[in-house]
């Protein structure tokens, strides 16, 4: 079963660790009577009256999942909006679990930076807004009134200019090379132009809408919406995924269709005994695995993310998402825990209900 248990790159090595400074109180933020950060307090403003976006922010997807937002569904994009060559490429990337994803090769995220995972620190000045990320990449948003470049030299992180429309920051970007992926594995060309609209609704929350316009890959612009929550009382530390000689990618083998070919039948009444919520620690972070039954098949949702089908390889072992799941049962056949298989080994999560 190695083909199914070692597909996904070792997430511990490439994702940031949240809450790394557990006792680090963020100074200068409003707090409730019990000393907790008051994230619903009014939004702060700069000296010139503009919304102050500065702070450390945790990205959150539309379905409420915290973390790898970039793997979520691509917003309002419909199949008819995608040009045939791009659709074929998306299907190929899904079939081989995205083995060629530049992010997994420790390359910059490019335009996916706006919808990607982890913590981001925003620094705001009248002339420029900077966005920093744990992987040591950054963005510069020029706020001095300059126009967007008409023929920029293609780069990983592109060229960005911004302006205010009321309390909303509008950022226009272009000049991306075509070596990066958009969220969900969708491709883009050097013709891509990206528009972000960012609004701080209160002290602790951002609303973000990212529109991708690439006429060489899509028949119309499409928009992805997400949010961010202020990461109070913690700090950001660097996370460089290629600092270790072995990131596990040599084990990245197999395809989605392989799981289907070797699937076995498991009775629905057996599958029903696996349904539940499982929790445990993965790396240093709390991880929640939600198992649901629908249409005679099991579905997995990790940390509130999208539901993905898993395929039985035996009565207790399942695969098909790039990870494996093996259920530990009691004498009545009811699952008490699940082992989630990674390159780093099996991680055990106990059943909560």
């Amino acid at each position: 079963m190695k083909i199914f248990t070692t597909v996904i790159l070792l997430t511990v090595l490439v994702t940031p660790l949240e809450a790394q400074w557990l006792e680090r109180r963020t100074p200068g933020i409003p707090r409730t009577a019990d000393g907790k950060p008051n994230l619903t307090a009014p939004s702060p403003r700069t000296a010139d009256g503009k919304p102050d976006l500065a702070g450390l922010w945790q990205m959150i997807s539309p379905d409420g999942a915290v973390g790898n937002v970039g793997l979520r569904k691509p917003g309002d994009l419909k199949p008819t909006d995608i040009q045939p060559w791009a659709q074929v490429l998306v299907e190929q990337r899904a079939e081989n679990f995205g083995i060629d994803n530049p992010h997994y090769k420790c390359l910059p995220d490019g335009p996916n930076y706006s919808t990607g995972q982890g913590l981001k620190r925003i620094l705001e000045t009248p002339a420029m807004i900077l966005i920093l990320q744990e992987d040591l990449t950054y963005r510069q948003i020029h706020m001095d009134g300059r126009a967007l470049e008409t023929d920029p030299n293609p780069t990983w992180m592109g060229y960005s200019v911004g302006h205010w429309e009321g309390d909303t920051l509008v950022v226009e970007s272009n000049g991306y090379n075509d070596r990066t992926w958009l969220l969900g594995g969708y491709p883009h060309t050097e013709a891509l132009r990206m528009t972000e609209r960012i609004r701080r609704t209160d002290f602790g929350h951002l609303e973000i809408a990212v529109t991708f316009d690439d006429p060489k890959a899509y028949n119309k612009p499409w928009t992805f919406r997400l949010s961010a929550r202020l990461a109070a009382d913690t700090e950001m530390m660097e996370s460089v995924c290629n600092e270790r000689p072995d990131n596990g990618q040599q084990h990245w083998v197999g395809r989605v269709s392989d799981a289907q070919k070797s699937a076995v039948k498991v009775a629905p009444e057996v599958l029903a005994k696996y349904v539940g919520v499982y929790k445990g620690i993965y790396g240093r972070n709390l991880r929640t695995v939600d198992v649901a039954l629908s249409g005679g098949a099991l579905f997995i949702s990790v940390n509130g993310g999208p539901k993905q089908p898993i395929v039985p390889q035996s009565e207790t072992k399942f695969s098909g998402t790039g990870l494996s799941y093996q259920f530990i049962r009691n004498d009545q056949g009811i699952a008490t825990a699940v082992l989630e298989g990674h390159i780093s080994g099996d991680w055990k999560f106990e059943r909560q209900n």
Side-chain angles (χ1 to χ4, degrees):
M1 301 309 297
K2 178 180 178 181
I3 191 170
F4 302 119
T5 61
T6 59
V7 177
I8 288 296
L9 188 65
L10 177 54
T11 310
V12 170
L13 301 183
V14 299
T15 57
L17 302 178
E18 300 176 25
Q20 298 173 82
W21 300 74
L22 298 181
E23 303 301 325
R24 176 70 175 179
R25 283 172 61 92
T26 303
I29 66 172
R31 296 185 180 273
T32 58
D34 58 3
K36 294 181 179 180
N38 184 3
L39 299 186
T40 61
S43 302
R45 302 231 169 217
T46 61
D48 59 1
K50 301 295 184 183
D52 190 350
L53 305 182
L56 184 62
W57 299 95
Q58 172 67 65
M59 310 307 289
I60 304 173
S61 74
D63 53 22
V66 175
N68 202 353
V69 178
L71 297 179
R72 309 302 177 198
K73 286 184 63 178
D76 58 4
L77 187 63
K78 298 179 176 60
T80 54
D81 301 331
I82 309 168
Q83 296 188 18
W85 72 266
Q87 184 62 56
V88 169
L89 194 54
V90 170
E91 293 171 359
Q92 290 175 348
R93 291 171 175 176
E95 169 66 7
N96 65 12
F97 299 105
I99 187 173
D100 295 320
N101 192 329
H103 178 77
Y104 300 143
K105 297 179 181 293
C106 304
L107 294 172
D109 285 334
N112 201 38
Y113 191 104
S114 297
T115 56
Q117 65 181 14
L119 297 172
K120 301 181 190 297
R121 182 176 294 282
I122 299 179
L123 304 175
E124 184 174 340
T125 73
M128 180 179 291
I129 294 176
L130 295 175
I131 305 179
L132 313 179
Q133 193 161 279
E134 297 105 324
D135 64 0
L136 307 185
T137 55
Y138 63 92
R139 287 183 65 198
Q140 301 178 96
I141 301 172
H142 300 282
M143 300 292 294
D144 55 7
R146 71 181 70 183
L148 196 64
E149 291 287 338
T150 57
D151 188 23
N153 181 49
T155 62
W156 289 99
M157 300 305 295
Y159 184 86
S160 299
V161 300
H163 66 276
W164 291 100
E165 293 183 0
D167 286 347
T168 299
L169 174 66
V170 180
V171 182
E172 297 176 280
S173 305
N174 65 358
Y176 296 103
N177 66 39
D178 60 2
R179 299 174 61 187
T180 58
W181 296 8
L182 303 182
L183 70 162
Y186 283 76
H188 67 89
T189 71
E190 292 184 356
L192 174 69
R193 179 163 174 163
M194 183 172 71
T195 301
E196 299 155 274
R197 301 181 68 87
I198 306 171
R199 187 167 70 94
R200 191 168 188 170
T201 57
D202 54 25
F203 194 89
H205 300 89
L206 300 179
E207 289 183 352
I208 305 168
V210 184
T211 299
F212 300 104
D213 187 359
D214 186 348
K216 293 185 177 181
Y218 306 96
N219 298 324
K220 69 174 187 178
W222 51 282
T223 300
F224 181 77
R225 300 180 187 277
L226 67 156
S227 60
R229 182 177 63 237
L230 187 72
D233 296 342
T234 187
E235 191 50 88
M236 184 171 70
M237 296 179 65
E238 69 177 39
S239 175
V240 182
C241 73
N242 62 355
E243 65 183 352
R244 297 173 176 84
D246 178 10
N247 62 13
Q249 199 166 12
Q250 72 274 16
H251 303 296
W252 196 313
V253 295
R255 296 178 180 275
V256 172
S257 56
D258 294 334
Q260 296 288 348
K261 292 176 183 177
S262 58
V264 302
K265 286 190 175 296
V266 179
E269 56 267 27
V270 173
L271 298 178
K273 296 180 179 181
Y274 303 155
V275 173
V277 176
Y278 302 77
K279 292 186 178 182
I281 299 297
Y282 174 56
R284 298 181 188 176
N285 297 325
L286 179 65
R287 189 174 180 90
T288 300
V289 176
D290 195 335
V291 181
L293 178 63
S294 178
L298 286 184
F299 288 78
I300 292 284
S301 172
V302 177
N303 287 346
K307 293 181 179 180
Q308 302 181 73
I310 53 176
V311 181
Q313 304 300 310
S314 72
E315 194 169 83
T316 59
K317 193 162 188 177
F318 296 73
S319 62
T321 68
L323 303 175
S324 70
Y325 292 90
Q326 183 164 3
F327 293 95
I328 300 173
R329 304 184 295 187
N330 60 20
D331 293 340
Q332 289 75 44
I334 299 174
T336 58
V338 65
L339 298 178
E340 187 179 68
H342 293 251
I343 293 171
S344 56
D346 293 338
W347 296 74
K348 186 177 182 180
F349 307 124
E350 302 287 346
R351 186 171 183 169
Q352 305 298 303
N353 61 10

